[in-house]
Amino acid sequence: MSNTNDELIRIDSVEGTGCVVRGDDVDTDRIIPARFMKVVTFDDMGRHAFEDARKAAKGKHPLDDERFSDAAILVVGQNFGCGSSREHAPQALMRFGFKAFVGGSFAEIFAGNCTSLGLPCVTLGDSDLAKLMGTVELDPAGKIEIDIRTRRLTCRAGEMSVGIPDGVRHQLLEGDWDATRVLMAAGDRIEKTAAALPYSPTA
Amino acid sequence: MAEPKKNLFQKVWDAHRVSELASGQTQLLIGTHLIHEVTSPQAFAMLSELKLPVRFPKRTFATVDHIIPTDDQSRPLKDDLAEAMMSELEQNCREHDIQFFGPESGAQGIVHVIGPELGLTQPGMTIACGDSHTSTHGAFGAIAFGIGTSQVRDLLATQCLAISPLKVRRIEVTGELAPGVFAKDVILAIIRKLGVNGGVGYAYEYAGPVLDAMSMEERMTVCNMSIEGGARCGYVNPDAETIEYLRGRRYTPDNSEFETKAAAWLALASDDGASYDDVVEIDGSAIEPSITWGIHPGHNIGISESIPTPHDTPDEERAGVEEALEYMDFVAGASIAGTPIDVAFIGSCTNGRISDLREAAKVAATGHVKAGVRALVVPGSADVRKQAEAEGLDEVFRKAGFDWREPGCSMCLAMNPDKLRGREVCASSSNRNFKGRQGSPSGRTLLMSPAMVAAAAIAGEVVDIRKSH
Ligand code: SF4
């Protein structure tokens, strides 16, 4: 997904039902095992999200739970997305259908990769996170709304304030999360800078 | 008024700045973009979704290294997935008019080995590649970044990156290296001292008498592992050694034009009195042959030291040490010398160059690989392989019982058929000892210099190169 040639996509809120994957330090190898990196497009990546964990859970993994099948918001624990920097991880989750992540905390590179795909990662304090996880598991059809502008999350358990870094919030609200589009905006200043370089790649 | 004093990083950054972005990042022009088969196909696919052309195809260069087999490279490759990735890269290069250094070109190899070899890597450049060890090119006084797939797309579309400014830490390695101590030991010692996250937010400038005395290949080994210390990039200021290396390369200018270039390159070095955000000094004379015992490159010790014990470890590192000892199945407090090995791997963008093979061959010439040990030598590029064969090193290795292979990444990350099996322990000249890195989810990696790997292959166990040779 990218909006370079279309109009700006400003993301000021995400709405939908949730799905909970419990546990801390869920690394990118678990999100998308390394063997699925031997591919030429990300198209098929959604199918392989959490593949090994889902196989091991024999159909009992939250991603295979029918009650969560329309979920747009993935609720996770601490340090989600740690390990290798592979962009295949957020790509897999996005293509599986998630549009935002709520968790205790996120690994820096994972969160950065998410931003560049327009997927907000917002954080909650321990007790709010526990409440949200509980509500989603009890009432999977319950709507969750994340308002990026006001930094509020609303669900059946009530209203909570979420964390999101200022810079990222700005990028999402302004539609600046798509780096290609932002960089294209420099127009021929790119060619001018290139022409002024003291080197060119041909001998 | 005098010009303000700048370090090399600041000079290069300023020359490539296109604009400041609202996010607080800088839009930085990248002079040279290197691509390979693993992280580029998705980027090309995204580009065509956007209906955008490659903006500067002449600033983009491709090779194939990660998935290519090192035994039989004939086409189609036996692994269908590998063949698909390679064909896709060839197709993208044809379609976008990008120079591709494939096996038939005679110049194929690990992207970080062939860049310098071809003279594509030059002082003062910004370079990026969808591979974390792009920091290697910093050895020439270039600022070189490893990037993700979306950034590869950004680069293809705009030749630019959105990137946050970095602080600069100067790391001075003083004194003189003892015999048996190599560049690999220097960078392992630096990472041990500063930590695997110590460099986050920094560019590392490596300097001091030890770096001054190093060859370009040794400097590449040091810069290569900057990323393992958390630094975004690492570099060495250009000097006479840099100039001599670049003279006569395929992509460097000839004759009088070269002399003009050379003067400009030398002027890029950090000014005397330039300021730094941090300065660290390391006593090079005290560095021993080093070796990793755990599951990240910071888990390393001198060969004469013993494996750490959790209770002597600072609180914040204790859990990591316990996890590492459990995974490696090593005994806390035991000596690392004498650890039996199953596999020996000499190669990778860290230590797969001709000087590495020469050092390893010197050791290989003194004995034979221990029965039961699988040992392979994988040259970093076709050029390295050719040179080694001209010097008869292939014969030395073969006679000593090593497998002599075609160039590629091979067992550094095992995306090709070269893999550890089960719990095997591998003495490796590569750069990452993460769990499962070498292709077996439970495989174990001990990082060390190529000479130490060769010595371990012969002894069948980890040995101190200073005592054994
Ligand atoms: S040799 Fe290893 S570290 Fe270097 S580019 Fe290849 S896979 Fe990456």
Side-chain angles (χ1 to χ4, degrees), chain B residues 177-392:
Chain B
L177 298 183
V181 178
F182 298 92
K184 180 65 153 287
D185 304 307
V186 173
I187 187 60
L188 284 172
I190 290 172
I191 296 170
R192 181 183 182 187
K193 180 171 166 126
L194 299 174
V196 287
N197 293 320
V200 172
Y202 279 96
Y204 279 176
E205 176 178 303
Y206 303 101
V210 166
L211 272 295
D212 292 343
M214 280 184 181
S215 69
M216 290 316 294
E217 298 199 348
E218 293 172 302
R219 293 176 191 179
M220 284 188 244
T221 301
V222 172
C223 289
N224 174 273
M225 289 184 71
S226 302
I227 191 77
E228 306 308 331
R232 198 65 220 278
C233 61
Y235 67 90
V236 179
N237 284 306
D239 63 6
E241 188 74 24
T242 320
I243 305 300
E244 283 325 302
Y245 180 99
L246 290 171
R247 194 185 293 279
R249 303 266 161 190
R250 178 153 156 195
Y251 282 88
T252 51
D254 299 330
N255 308 328
S256 65
E257 206 193 322
F258 183 83
E259 302 310 325
T260 317
K261 271 270 169 193
W265 287 338
L266 291 173
L268 288 164
S270 296
D271 298 328
D272 284 336
S275 67
Y276 295 90
D277 299 284
D278 191 27
V279 178
V280 176
E281 206 179 285
I282 289 189
D283 178 4
S285 314
I287 299 174
E288 275 200 290
S290 300
I291 175 167
T292 61
W293 55 269
I295 52 175
H296 67 56
H299 285 152
N300 77 75
I301 50 178
I303 181 74
S304 67
E305 293 176 75
S306 47
I307 296 169
T309 57
H311 73 256
D312 290 333
T313 307
D315 286 352
E316 64 279 10
E317 287 165 31
R318 191 168 304 135
V321 168
E322 281 168 353
E323 185 189 355
L325 289 174
E326 193 190 325
Y327 181 82
M328 298 300 287
D329 197 15
F330 283 172
V331 179
S335 157
I336 187 96
T339 305
I341 65 151
D342 307 294
V343 178
F345 170 62
I346 296 171
S348 86
C349 59
T350 313
N351 280 128
R353 297 186 180 79
I354 188 67
S355 56
D356 298 312
L357 302 194
R358 286 184 191 134
E359 290 298 336
K362 271 190 226 164
V363 177
T366 66
H368 195 277
V369 172
K370 178 93 170 187
V373 172
R374 275 194 289 150
L376 65 163
V377 183
V378 185
S381 70
D383 201 58
V384 170
R385 186 178 147 99
K386 204 166 92 198
Q387 179 62 28
E389 289 178 351
E391 295 176 23

